[in-house]
Amino acid sequence: METAALPSFDPLPGATEVDAAVIGSGIVGLSAAWELARTGLTVVVLEADRLAGGVTGHTTGKLTAQHASVYGTLRSEHGEDAALRYAESQSAALRHVVEVSEELGIDCELERRPAFTYCVHPEGVDGLRAEADASRAAGLSASFVTETGLPFPVAGAVRVEDQAQFHPLAYLRGLADDLVARGGRIHEGTRVTRLDHGNPCRLTTDSGATVSAELVVVATHHPVFDHMLLTTRLTQHRDLVIAGPVPARQDPGGMYISRENGKRSVRTSPLADGRRLLIVTGEAFTPGTGEDTEAGYARLQAWAQQHFPGVTITHRWAAQDNSSTDTLPLIGRMPTHGENVYVATGFAGWGMTGGVLAATAVAALVRGEEEPWGGLYDPGRVGSPLRSAPTYLKAQWETGKHFVKDRLDALGDGTNGPAESLRPGEGTVVRAGGSPCAVHRDDHGRLHAVSAVCTHLGCLVAFNNAERTWECPCHGSRFGIDGEILQGPALSPLERHDPDEL
Ligand code: FES
């Protein structure tokens, strides 16, 4: 986000009519808008915040069909053919990025690299051997190895050749420039708060501006206009990320992810002075569960400094992903929203290839072509209900637990302690006039108070101490300390309270 020099765009000023409206400007939204504009449609992109400032702006930019150990899971849950189609479709997306960046002359620091899923403990070896077999059977150039470029020994790894890494926002800047050159429009600071599907569809924004569109693509990470069918099939997690320059000789020469407790993901990207920017990810947690994220950053930093001595961490951030309960992303027509509303979500942290794949799949459906990839990603699929039922039920249990138990806790005996005892940087949920209230004390000692009831479906938010945000455990909405929306599916801010009345 620092180095992409993205253009800026004005909010949507009033009523407009288009062939296609795309909600969200991450890799799904901008790629879909560009694909649709290329077919001759008039297109508008509506972005609540800044261009690619959401999940895509926080990705580590791996462009690979190796998704940790997904092929073993797909093979057992969905069969060999599904694993094959998954690998083919993700690989096609990778090739598409290469071709489009060449066609448009986009310098997006695209580097071909092998991808590795590794383990350091011998207990993980059998699973990785099976993953290597499943990956090969799915058509990837995969092998089981015991040597990697990492600066520590591994017990084993699955190596997949000829994958890629890139600067995703540089790529999207190229797409945005070309989209605008083709007559497409982009509006930032324009939150769509209502979608009425029909022929045409009608969108209403937070400023009251409206869009009439023959078709709509909902590319908002979590599908904000779905309250049931897709929402209940998605789970959220958040990963911490740190980065800092290392000498080029410390570049491990690939993209790495471990599959053990204490997951670590590593890659580097080029810096102008010849060094490499080391990017390390890990310490995954469910947003809204009150995790001590400061401690998580400290563990991540200690790990990076142990294995890459001399690295100075210059940046840290976090990235939020959602996963479907049956492992496969949800891409295609949005169930319950007619024939002309499309959705793409549930990439499980692999949204770079998944997002590009989604955009090309939606464009194919709009052109009237067959369901791409044999309906593998169809959001209306029934799939393998028995095999995915445990994950689905666990997700529903967790959500139900937060909805009921968290509320009882907050309305009970005030166990979270009084707001006055908060130290600078801390936050807690307290009772105020019988309602749960989220209170934070800033570094200047001032209290900030907002309703703790998430405006999506009413679960209670919890404090993230490193990011200083309020997060909802049910579907991952995130809010600033004064209640502003940082991440959906919530469409309204948390109501502000007067801290003097606590
Ligand atoms: Fe759904 Fe909060 S209740 S995100």
Side-chain angles (χ1 to χ4, degrees), residues 184-361:
R185 285 178 288 150
I186 300 172
H187 295 288
E188 295 174 316
T190 302
R191 183 179 300 279
V192 178
T193 53
R194 185 181 170 109
L195 161 59
D196 293 300
H197 63 91
N199 291 300
C201 298
R202 183 181 160 89
L203 305 180
T204 308
T205 73
D206 51 358
S207 71
T210 58
V211 178
S212 172
E214 295 302 320
L215 69 96
V216 173
V217 181
V218 179
T220 53
H221 190 233
H222 197 290
V224 292
F225 301 108
D226 173 277
H227 285 339
M228 183 56 72
L229 205 66
L230 304 182
T231 294
T232 55
R233 292 163 61 191
L234 292 169
T235 60
Q236 282 64 231
H237 76 270
R238 209 162 164 75
D239 276 298
L240 305 182
V241 192
I242 56 173
V246 292
R249 63 184 149 71
Q250 287 191 326
D251 181 2
M255 300 170 285
Y256 297 85
I257 189 164
S258 65
R259 288 308 292 162
E260 296 159 311
N261 282 341
K263 178 192 86 175
R264 295 288 182 259
S265 158
V266 177
R267 79 128 162 149
T268 70
S269 70
L271 290 171
D273 62 7
R275 292 182 297 170
R276 305 284 300 183
L277 185 73
L278 175 72
I279 305 170
V280 178
T281 309
E283 301 295 325
F285 64 100
T286 302
T289 49
E291 195 78 17
D292 184 351
T293 40
E294 274 298 355
Y297 277 120
R299 286 191 293 271
L300 208 52
Q301 182 157 338
W303 186 92
Q305 287 170 336
Q306 176 189 353
H307 297 297
F308 297 88
V311 64
T312 303
I313 303 304
T314 54
H315 293 75
R316 74 179 198 179
W317 68 94
Q320 188 155 317
D321 294 298
N322 58 32
S323 306
S324 78
T325 50
D326 73 356
T327 308
L328 293 163
L330 301 150
I331 302 166
R333 289 191 175 84
M334 192 160 165
T336 73
H337 278 69
E339 281 293 294
N340 50 357
V341 178
Y342 301 84
V343 70
T345 186
F347 301 114
W350 302 102
M352 295 299 100
T353 51
V356 172
L357 148 64
T360 55

